[in-house]
């Protein structure tokens, strides 16, 4: 009798160990690793515990908003430089930290996995980063350095956001925002030249305003 109880308890422990949990706010995708049914389970798994066999794997996709920043400086002990570089129409190289906020459509989790065959972290670090980098390269290639560094900075990142959003929408990634996560990094000589040009433009505008004001006062007199 004791042996029987022991076997039951052992079997229960094994079953519990084979169960995987899909936490609240996540959708799971069961993947068959072997056999003719190898592929992705067509039905997404909602929050709960599920039996995962020895030839199966479970990938979790959070459906709440995710935020990630690709930075030059180490974050959480990761020494990898994840910042993104691009070039302007003059061929000048600009580097910056870029942030992204997005969520995953729970109805398209299987579609997302079938497309990339990776978990959400690998998709973010690899595919999404590459998309943002490529969009920056394309969008910045027709812009001058003064535009990128100055008044056109917001328009540039908005164009990148629109490009990436259109690219991933069909696979269930909902882009909420792509943004500059810090100052743009340019060679010091380029920054100095741009600032001097901006100051010269502002001074010329100021003198033009003073001349117009003096003329108006003279006409009034």
């Amino acid at each position: 009798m004791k042996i029987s109880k022991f076997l039951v308890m052992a079997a229960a422990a094994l079953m519990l160990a084979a169960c995987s949990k899909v936490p609240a706010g996540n959708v799971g995708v069961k993947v068959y690793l072997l056999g003719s049914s190898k592929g992705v389970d067509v039905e997404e798994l909602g929050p709960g515990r599920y039996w995962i066999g020895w030839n199966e794997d479970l990938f979790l996709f959070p459906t709440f908003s995710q935020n990630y920043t690709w930075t030059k400086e180490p974050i959480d002990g990761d020494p990898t430089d994840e910042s993104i570089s691009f070039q302007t129409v003059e061929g000048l190289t600009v580097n910056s930290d870029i942030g992204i906020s997005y969520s995953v459509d729970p109805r398209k989790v299987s579609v997302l996995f079938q497309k990339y065959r990776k978990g959400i972290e690998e998709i973010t670090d690899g595919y999404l980063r590459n998309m943002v980098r490529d969009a920056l390269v394309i969008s910045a290639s027709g812009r001058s350095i003064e535009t990128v560094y100055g008044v056109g900075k917001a328009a540039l990142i908005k164009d990148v956001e629109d490009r990436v959003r259109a690219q991933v929408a069909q696979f269930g990634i909902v882009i909420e925002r792509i943004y500059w996560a810090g100052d743009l990094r340019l060679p010091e000589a380029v920054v100095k030249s741009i600032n001097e040009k901006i100051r010269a433009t502002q001074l010329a505008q100021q003198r033009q305003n003073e001349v117009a004001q003096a003329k108006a006062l003279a006409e009034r007199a």
Side-chain angles (χ1 to χ4, degrees), residues 176-197:
E176 298 168 4
R177 185 185 173 214
I178 295 177
Y179 55 93
W180 304 112
D183 295 332
L184 300 184
R185 302 183 187 94
L186 288 76
E188 188 62 33
V190 175
V191 174
K192 183 179 179 181
S193 175
I194 293 173
N195 289 337
E196 288 176 352
K197 185 174 181 179

Side-chain angles (χ1 to χ4, degrees), residues 43-157:
E43 183 180 0
E44 291 87 3
L45 306 178
R49 288 191 176 275
Y50 298 90
W51 171 268
I52 303 299
W54 66 273
N55 67 327
E56 299 171 346
D57 204 352
L58 178 67
F59 286 81
L60 297 179
F61 290 84
T63 55
F64 51 90
S65 182
Q66 302 290 299
N67 191 76
Y68 193 88
T69 307
W70 297 295
T71 65
K72 185 178 183 65
E73 299 300 324
I75 293 182
D76 297 331
D78 186 355
T80 306
D81 179 1
E82 296 182 316
S83 61
I84 297 177
S85 297
F86 55 94
Q87 289 188 331
T88 63
V89 70
E90 302 93 345
L92 293 172
T93 299
V94 183
N95 177 267
S96 181
D97 300 337
I98 305 293
I100 185 171
S101 297
Y102 68 91
S103 59
V104 176
D105 186 342
R107 300 167 299 180
K108 295 184 177 180
V109 169
S110 290
V111 176
L112 179 60
F113 187 84
Q114 287 173 330
K115 171 63 179 177
Y116 298 110
R117 297 284 175 168
K118 301 290 184 181
I120 194 64
E121 292 184 2
E122 293 170 290
I123 291 174
T124 302
D125 292 340
Y127 296 101
L128 274 180
R129 182 182 177 279
N130 290 341
M131 290 178 194
V132 172
R133 181 200 60 202
D134 293 346
L136 262 174
V137 169
I138 294 172
S139 298
S141 63
R143 289 175 162 88
S144 66
I145 187 62
E146 288 88 356
T147 301
V148 170
Y149 191 69
V151 294
K153 187 177 177 181
L156 172 59
I157 200 67

Side-chain angles (χ1 to χ4, degrees), residues 147-166:
T147 301
V148 170
Y149 191 69
V151 294
K153 187 177 177 181
L156 172 59
I157 200 67
K158 181 63 170 61
D159 187 50
V160 171
E161 180 182 300
D162 292 341
R163 288 175 181 271
V164 177
R165 178 181 288 117

